Amino acid sequence: MLPMMTLTDHSQLKALSDPLRAKMMIRLLEKPYTGQQLSEVFDLSRSKIHYHLKELEKNKLIKVIRREEKNGIVQKFYQSVARGFTPSAELLPHMTDISESSRQLLFQMAEKTKSVILSAPEHAFNQDHATEVPSEWNYVGSMWQVSATEEQFKTWIKKYFALMEELRSLNEQKEKTSKQKLYFVSTMAFEIDDEIFKDEKE
């Protein structure tokens, strides 16, 4: 699976703009699924799921990674071709579709985060010791509102991804230890029109 795939065709944007396909893509980012498994996950007919799988496959967003035979029927396992997607410069004239596909994927990421929070073990939200300093907690949970120029925001994004690469590199260490645990990290940041948090003093 590629870390990032550049979208070069308008039809790829349209494919990702569909809410159901965005939901399916989040699942297929996690692990391989068959059409039957996805139909059970979303409680939809196999024919409807297969139609959308074919659209995603046609647009080279997913691929069959293996086949298994079960009761004389060959099952295809699909998975996303990349961890993330970004539009090429040629697609900038289709800004509306770019915005909608990004919105749908972010929305599905938020939904996935919600389900992971609900299924996480209780001790994940415990604190080793009483403290009012969030940076000393065992988990991160915060919402921020900041004013910055677009250039300043983009500079921060570069620093954020560098920090995430540092964290992700721990995953690639050859020797795993019994002290290592799995952590789920989900982050979103984007421009908004109106203030969410208002200070009455201001």
Side-chain angles (χ1 to χ4, degrees), residues 59-74:
N59 284 289
K60 300 177 180 175
L61 300 168
I62 64 171
K63 65 180 178 181
V64 177
I65 63 161
R66 74 174 187 272
R67 291 175 169 83
E68 290 180 8
E69 188 173 333
K70 187 177 180 182
N71 300 325
I73 299 172
V74 176

Side-chain angles (χ1 to χ4, degrees), residues 1-9 12-13 15-17 21-22 24-30 56-57 59-63 79-88 91 98 101-106 109 161:
M1 190 184 289
L2 297 170
M4 186 67 67
M5 175 184 171
T6 301
L7 304 177
T8 57
D9 197 298
Q12 292 175 315
L13 288 178
L16 289 174
S17 298
R21 288 177 204 155
M24 290 169 63
M25 285 302 297
I26 294 299
R27 292 283 180 169
L28 295 171
L29 281 166
E30 298 167 16
L56 292 170
E57 187 180 23
N59 284 289
K60 300 177 180 175
L61 300 168
I62 64 171
K63 65 180 178 181
Q79 191 162 31
S80 173
V81 298
R83 293 277 177 205
F85 300 91
T86 183
S88 67
L91 292 178
I98 291 175
S101 62
S102 299
R103 187 190 305 272
Q104 287 298 329
L105 287 173
L106 279 175
M109 287 168 64
F161 275 100

Side-chain angles (χ1 to χ4, degrees), residues 154-178:
K154 287 181 177 179
T155 299
W156 174 83
I157 288 176
K158 288 178 182 176
K159 291 179 182 177
Y160 166 79
F161 275 100
L163 188 61
M164 286 308 302
E165 275 302 311
E166 179 186 323
L167 184 61
R168 203 165 65 89
S169 68
L170 301 178
N171 220 27
E172 298 167 2
Q173 290 178 349
K174 291 182 179 179
E175 293 184 14
K176 302 283 183 180
T177 70
S178 59

Side-chain angles (χ1 to χ4, degrees), residues 191-195:
E191 183 183 346
I192 55 176
D193 287 328
D194 300 312
E195 287 184 311

Side-chain angles (χ1 to χ4, degrees), residues 34 36-37 40 46 67-77:
T34 65
Q36 174 63 34
Q37 289 171 332
E40 292 169 5
R46 278 186 292 178
R67 291 175 169 83
E68 290 180 8
E69 188 173 333
K70 187 177 180 182
N71 300 325
I73 299 172
V74 176
Q75 297 181 317
K76 296 178 181 178
F77 285 79

